[in-house]
Amino acid sequence: MSGPSAPAWPGEEPTADAAGASRSGADAARVSHAATDASWSAADARLLAAARTGVACAPVRELIGETNQDAAYAVQSLGIDRLLADGRRIVGRKIGLTSPAVQAQFGVYSPDYGVLLDDMVFADREPIDLGRFLQPRVEAEVAFVLGHDLDSETANVADVIRATEFVLPAIEVVDSRIAGWDIRITDTIADNASSGAVVLGTTSHRLDGLDLADVGMRLDHRGEPVSVGSGAACLGNPVIAVAWLARAVARHGRPLRAGEVILSGALGPMVAATEGVFHARLAGLGEVRADFIRTAAAPAATGTVPSSTAPTEGAAA
């Protein structure tokens, strides 16, 4: 009987059959790798075109699959690396999918994360042009500012408390380049966890003696309440969420560094961002306001859908 020969010892030439089998396997691996790279690049190009044109795109899950989170993070990295090459700077990270209800909606049971860049950060009351977004939503959160690195794959809540210099009230602007917010887990991860911007309050607090699970939140728009919640809605406690993030990014070789701003996740349902002031009050932590305007030179982006058709409970955060 004929068949593949045993692998050759080092220094020996393989038989013709073995060499052919080896080449065949290597060729198949190269084809598979090329196909994977092509799908990642296609997904990245689709999201980039949406961001540049203001026209929301079709979901990228049709290119990278609905459940392959590794592929989705690879696409996210392609986009972030390009922005860094263009001169942008990483200033922090954000955690998404911290609500169990929203995790069930996406069929996953852990959060996801994205990157905050320097031009995404606004101060309390600073005007924000709605024209920079496609389909913006807002939600109130606790922002952590790190005083020390969190670089352990086994980081716990004590490590987070020790590493945190102070916390701030924050409003995150989440945005999707996917038309109609028609997203699954791989869509939002690839799209930098549906990041848009962040508004930071200016009243800092150390974590000493604070139980963030008990922090109540109320978000008003033009004086009317539009979202309420508490720290317990964020994985039980925002400190727990940040510990999860520290472990996840350390495993991926991109640990949290001193000075970074960490958005820990939504304290209540997200709502559509429209013109006017959104005012978040976080009990014991202070207040923060996001002031949305629309300049004449920045028309509304194509792809915005009515709030009733979008996820209703912090889906990207």
Side-chain angles (χ1 to χ4, degrees):
M1 294 178 63
S2 63
S5 302
W9 289 101
E12 294 182 349
E13 291 297 325
T15 65
D17 284 349
S22 177
R23 283 195 300 272
S24 196
D27 289 345
R30 279 194 292 271
V31 169
S32 176
H33 186 69
T36 298
D37 285 351
S39 67
W40 295 352
S41 296
D44 175 55
R46 182 178 293 185
L47 293 168
L48 175 62
R52 287 182 171 173
T53 65
V55 179
C57 64
V60 298
R61 61 181 179 270
E62 63 192 40
L63 300 171
I64 61 175
E66 285 200 19
T67 60
N68 190 342
Q69 295 190 33
D70 287 340
Y73 279 116
V75 174
Q76 181 188 121
S77 293
L78 288 175
I80 296 300
D81 289 346
R82 182 181 55 255
L83 294 171
L84 295 178
D86 288 342
R88 307 266 286 278
R89 181 172 57 88
I90 293 175
V91 297
R93 321 291 174 94
K94 63 152 287 183
I95 311 169
L97 300 175
T98 53
S99 161
V102 176
Q103 289 179 6
Q105 173 187 342
F106 284 97
V108 298
Y109 298 96
S110 68
D112 68 350
Y113 67 82
V115 175
L116 299 178
L117 298 167
D118 51 355
D119 66 343
M120 296 168 63
V121 180
F122 293 82
D124 181 35
R125 306 174 193 253
E126 184 177 357
I128 307 171
D129 190 351
L130 282 167
R132 65 181 280 143
F133 309 109
L134 274 74
Q135 305 170 98
R137 307 284 184 260
V138 294
E139 54 197 23
E141 307 193 12
V142 178
F144 289 64
V145 180
L146 300 182
H148 303 283
D149 293 351
L150 271 172
D151 54 7
S152 171
E153 296 182 17
T154 60
N156 58 42
V157 293
D159 297 318
V160 171
I161 293 170
R162 186 182 304 113
T164 299
E165 188 167 351
F166 55 85
V167 293
L168 297 167
I171 293 175
E172 183 184 0
V173 185
V174 293
D175 195 18
S176 181
R177 270 53 64 178
I178 308 296
W181 279 90
D182 177 17
I183 56 176
R184 301 293 184 270
I185 183 64
T186 51
D187 295 304
T188 186
I189 290 174
D191 192 20
N192 195 23
S194 302
S195 297
V198 57
V199 184
L200 296 177
T202 56
T203 304
S204 63
H205 291 269
R206 296 185 62 83
L207 284 178
D208 299 345
L210 284 179
D211 184 354
L212 295 183
D214 289 339
V215 170
M217 179 279 295
R218 170 174 161 162
L219 179 65
D220 293 350
H221 181 233
R222 293 180 172 173
E224 296 296 325
V226 292
S227 179
V228 295
S230 72
C234 180
L235 286 186
N237 190 311
V239 175
I240 296 174
V242 176
W244 173 88
L245 175 68
R247 294 190 296 269
V249 296
R251 285 194 295 268
H252 290 171
R254 299 182 177 183
L256 302 179
R257 298 302 185 191
E260 288 197 45
V261 176
I262 311 300
L263 293 183
S264 56
L267 304 185
M270 70 175 183
V271 296
T274 56
E275 291 181 66
V277 175
F278 286 83
H279 184 183
R281 298 175 175 87
L282 278 63
L285 295 183
E287 306 178 1
V288 58
R289 299 163 186 81
D291 183 6
F292 291 102
I293 63 171
R294 192 181 297 283
T295 65
T302 302
T304 302
V305 294
S307 303
S308 59
T309 65
T312 58
E313 193 177 345

